[in-house]
């Protein structure tokens, strides 16, 4: 956990390239921190050769099943084009946390 906090403090955003459990652990930790209001840095899945397409489908299913809010999904970039991803990251504005969730964090 301390290593992830250090990674968070030194980074402007997070990009998941194809990888294993460690990659998923790190990107989902950052997504969870955003969901909890701990962090607000952009997170992206660079989908090289469709590697993350099934995972993004699962995330979309989580929204459909109401385990994630729709704005949490739209706050996550997914695609193949690195230039589009970098542009999205430069212009990133985090989705607002709902007032009910924000009050619970205080």
């Amino acid at each position: 956990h301390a290593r992830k906090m250090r990674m968070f403090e030194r980074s402007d955003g997070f990009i998941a390239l194809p990888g294993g459990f460690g990659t998923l652990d790190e990107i989902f930790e950052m997504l969870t921190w955003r969901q909890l209001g701990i962090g607000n840095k952009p997170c992206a899945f660079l989908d090289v050769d469709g590697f993350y397409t099934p995972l993004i489908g699962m995330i979309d299913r989580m929204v459909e099943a109401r385990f994630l809010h729709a704005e949490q999904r739209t706050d996550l970039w997914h695609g193949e084009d690195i230039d589009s991803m970098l542009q999205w990251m430069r212009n990133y504005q985090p989705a607002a946390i709902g007032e009910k969730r924000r009050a619970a964090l205080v």
Side-chain angles (χ1 to χ4, degrees):
H1 185 74
R3 184 182 62 75
K4 289 179 196 167
M5 179 57 78
R6 189 169 167 194
M7 180 180 77
F8 176 82
E9 291 168 348
R10 294 177 172 220
S11 300
D12 294 324
F14 304 95
I15 302 166
L17 298 170
F21 287 146
T23 301
L24 292 177
D25 175 53
E26 290 168 348
I27 194 75
F28 277 108
E29 183 85 10
M30 296 304 108
L31 290 167
T32 301
W33 288 4
R34 257 190 6 203
Q35 183 179 19
L36 296 173
I38 297 169
N40 63 354
K41 298 181 181 184
C43 295
F45 285 91
L46 188 59
D47 201 1
V48 178
D49 294 328
F51 185 84
Y52 282 119
T53 300
L55 179 63
I56 298 302
M58 187 65 212
I59 293 171
D60 290 339
R61 187 171 177 197
M62 291 175 191
V63 173
E64 291 170 13
R66 303 179 72 176
F67 289 111
L68 288 176
H69 293 277
E71 74 264 9
Q72 292 166 329
R73 169 60 183 98
T74 58
D75 202 32
L76 170 64
W77 189 90
H78 164 250
E80 300 175 350
D81 184 54
I82 194 166
D83 292 327
S84 295
M85 181 196 66
L86 293 172
Q87 184 65 37
W88 176 83
M89 292 185 103
R90 278 193 230 45
N91 298 324
Y92 177 74
Q93 294 293 319
I97 296 174
E99 290 304 314
K100 190 176 200 180
R101 286 184 283 163
R102 185 186 326 269
L105 295 172
V106 178

